Amino acid sequence: MSLQLPPLALYVHVPWCIRKCPYCDFNSHQANNDIPETEYVNALREDLQQDQPLAQGRKLSSIFFGGGTPSMLSAQAIGQILKDAETIIGFETDIEITLEANPGTFEQEKFAGFRAAGVNRLSIGIQSFKDQQLKLLGRVHGRAEALRAVGVARSAGFDNINLDLMHGLPEQSVAAAQADLQQAIELAPEHLSWYQLTIEQNTAFYSAPPVLPEEEILADIQDAGIELLAAAGYAQYEISAYARQQKRARHNMNYWQFGDYLGIGAGAHGKVSFPAQNKILRLWKTRLPKHYLEAMTAQKISTNLGGHQNSFGAGSDLLSPAALPLEFMMNTLRLTDGVPQDFFSARTGLDWQVVEPIWQRLSQQGLVETVQGIIRPTALGRRFLNRVLQAFMHENP
């Protein structure tokens, strides 16, 4: 089977934040003074210029500014990054451009500028509408700012807004979680990312874990929340993603459909397919902002197939045929609706027969199904997704 070039997206990492949240394990660093905005924008431009050959003639279908806190950058900086991306790679006519933003007053003042710069989707990190919970989570905003942020975004011209909301918070009851979710629904965002707080290594919560709800309460919160969202017109299309009709996050859909993406910025990751070699490569950039900025003047090093060079590169990993089935399923089986079965061959270069025995056994167990050429997990399979993925982990070729 021949590997085909999938759509291409761009991830831009902004590594600074006002304060490091105790649950956060992302590559984010507290900004003690003014961030080196001009230097960082210049480095991003050079990083993307060096990665330009990886586009292989494709234009960008989506861009996502993540972090850290991308809204710490000025609107002028965001606009310059977008101009550079359009010049170096090019945009599809209907490109989706998302920027993560905090609901703090400082960030709200920039919303109109972000919209004018070309951002057409805003993802606001609410996390909770309870002041006490926000304080426990180390957030720099309160309930009032969270409520006001959506109105400011609407006034700025945003008609595609995502709200990030957590559940399973310290000592949270089912009723409290429902109240948080109901408040988010009343703000009428087009998209909701509603996900459970988990304690990750290398976080303050890992060193001093808070008291979280018991498993039975967590399950009740999940079940009641899904029901509430569905009644409000938000369809679940991924484990923690809910959207009104035609408002699914296209950038994240590209990840989950095993598409390609370039990653620029400190610690950014990318995935690129090479049909000529029938290979797929994952690559990542220098993690610390200081070292990333220093890479502007560093001697170029090879980090890619075919001798591709990028001075910001920290490493790469060529995915083996044995690893590809699990990599593909880890992404696509997150989707409620699944993907066409022929995506497997088109985006891995492997024949479906490689995983057919595993798929049939999981199907007999009621964990996955194939419906009119679409492969997807069942409701039971979504609940026990780790069990489904383990089958590919142990038995891939």
Side-chain angles (χ1 to χ4, degrees), residues 309-374:
Q309 294 180 329
N310 188 306
S311 58
F312 301 89
S316 61
D317 181 25
L318 185 64
L319 295 180
S320 68
L324 280 171
L326 177 60
E327 290 281 340
F328 179 86
M329 296 298 177
M330 280 177 62
N331 287 278
T332 58
L333 292 185
R334 293 177 66 93
L335 293 170
T336 303
D337 294 342
V339 297
Q341 183 178 309
D342 57 15
F343 268 32
F344 180 80
S345 296
R347 301 196 174 178
T348 67
L350 302 174
D351 193 286
W352 175 255
Q353 296 305 315
V354 168
V355 294
E356 176 69 23
I358 303 172
W359 190 265
Q360 287 299 326
R361 187 170 67 256
L362 292 171
S363 181
Q364 291 168 4
Q365 296 171 3
L367 297 170
V368 299
E369 60 186 0
T370 305
V371 180
Q372 296 180 338
I374 302 295

Side-chain angles (χ1 to χ4, degrees), residues 108-109 115 161 185 209 226 250 262 266 296 319 321 373:
Q108 289 181 35
E109 293 172 352
R115 186 68 190 92
I161 296 173
I185 290 170
I226 291 175
R250 288 173 51 196
L262 303 178
M296 275 284 285
L319 295 180

Side-chain angles (χ1 to χ4, degrees), residues 49-184:
Q49 187 67 63
Q50 293 183 33
D51 271 358
Q52 188 274 338
L54 303 179
Q56 301 170 76
R58 291 169 292 180
K59 294 182 179 181
L60 297 172
S61 61
S62 66
I63 298 176
F64 193 99
F65 289 87
T69 307
S71 53
M72 289 185 68
L73 293 182
S74 68
Q76 291 77 13
I78 296 297
Q80 185 60 57
I81 295 166
L82 292 177
K83 289 177 183 176
D84 292 340
E86 186 170 20
T87 299
I88 295 169
I89 306 293
F91 290 176
E92 297 288 355
T93 55
D94 59 346
I95 187 171
E96 174 193 89
I97 301 174
T98 302
L99 183 136
E100 288 185 335
N102 274 338
T105 301
F106 172 71
E107 287 88 349
Q108 289 181 35
E109 293 172 352
K110 302 179 183 180
F111 284 1
F114 293 144
R115 186 68 190 92
V119 176
N120 55 27
R121 184 175 183 270
L122 203 63
S123 181
I124 305 175
I126 302 290
Q127 311 313 349
S128 175
F129 291 98
K130 301 283 191 292
D131 283 327
Q132 182 181 0
Q133 290 288 9
L134 289 168
K135 185 176 180 180
L136 286 171
L137 292 172
R139 303 297 289 172
V140 297
H141 68 275
R143 170 184 171 84
E145 288 175 310
L147 292 173
R148 187 168 59 245
V150 177
V152 174
R154 294 295 189 204
S155 297
F158 284 99
D159 58 4
N160 194 0
I161 296 173
N162 169 67
L163 299 184
D164 270 358
L165 197 68
M166 287 184 176
H167 61 86
L169 301 180
E171 302 181 18
Q172 188 178 52
S173 66
V174 176
Q178 290 294 91
D180 249 0
L181 191 53
Q182 182 60 48
Q183 178 63 81

Side-chain angles (χ1 to χ4, degrees), residues 1 38 42 65 75 120 123 125 152 173 192 203 213 217 245 255 289 294-295 310 338 354 359-360 371 386 388-389:
M1 301 298 295
T38 300
N42 290 339
F65 289 87
N120 55 27
S123 181
V152 174
S173 66
L192 272 163
T203 65
I217 294 176
Q245 195 165 5
Y255 289 153
E294 290 171 350
N310 188 306
V354 168
W359 190 265
Q360 287 299 326
V371 180
N386 286 339
V388 174
L389 295 176

Side-chain angles (χ1 to χ4, degrees), residues 187 199 278 302 363:
L187 292 172
I199 306 301
N278 209 38
S302 178
S363 181

Side-chain angles (χ1 to χ4, degrees), residues 146-266:
L147 292 173
R148 187 168 59 245
V150 177
V152 174
R154 294 295 189 204
S155 297
F158 284 99
D159 58 4
N160 194 0
I161 296 173
N162 169 67
L163 299 184
D164 270 358
L165 197 68
M166 287 184 176
H167 61 86
L169 301 180
E171 302 181 18
Q172 188 178 52
S173 66
V174 176
Q178 290 294 91
D180 249 0
L181 191 53
Q182 182 60 48
Q183 178 63 81
I185 290 170
E186 289 174 4
L187 292 172
E190 284 70 30
H191 190 284
L192 272 163
S193 297
W194 186 61
Y195 52 96
Q196 182 180 319
L197 170 64
T198 56
I199 306 301
E200 305 288 353
Q201 293 187 20
N202 302 316
T203 65
F205 273 177
Y206 187 80
S207 301
V211 178
L212 299 182
E214 297 179 355
E215 288 296 327
E216 184 176 344
I217 294 176
L218 290 173
D220 289 344
I221 288 174
Q222 182 78 20
D223 291 342
I226 291 175
E227 184 177 338
L228 180 61
L229 284 161
Y234 291 91
Q236 183 182 22
Y237 68 98
E238 188 268 345
I239 291 173
S240 58
Y242 303 78
R244 296 197 184 279
Q245 195 165 5
Q246 306 301 317
K247 292 298 183 179
R248 295 180 177 186
R250 288 173 51 196
H251 187 85
N252 289 340
M253 285 293 293
N254 186 58
Y255 289 153
W256 297 324
Q257 292 177 338
F258 212 51
D260 279 359
Y261 51 96
L262 303 178
I264 60 172

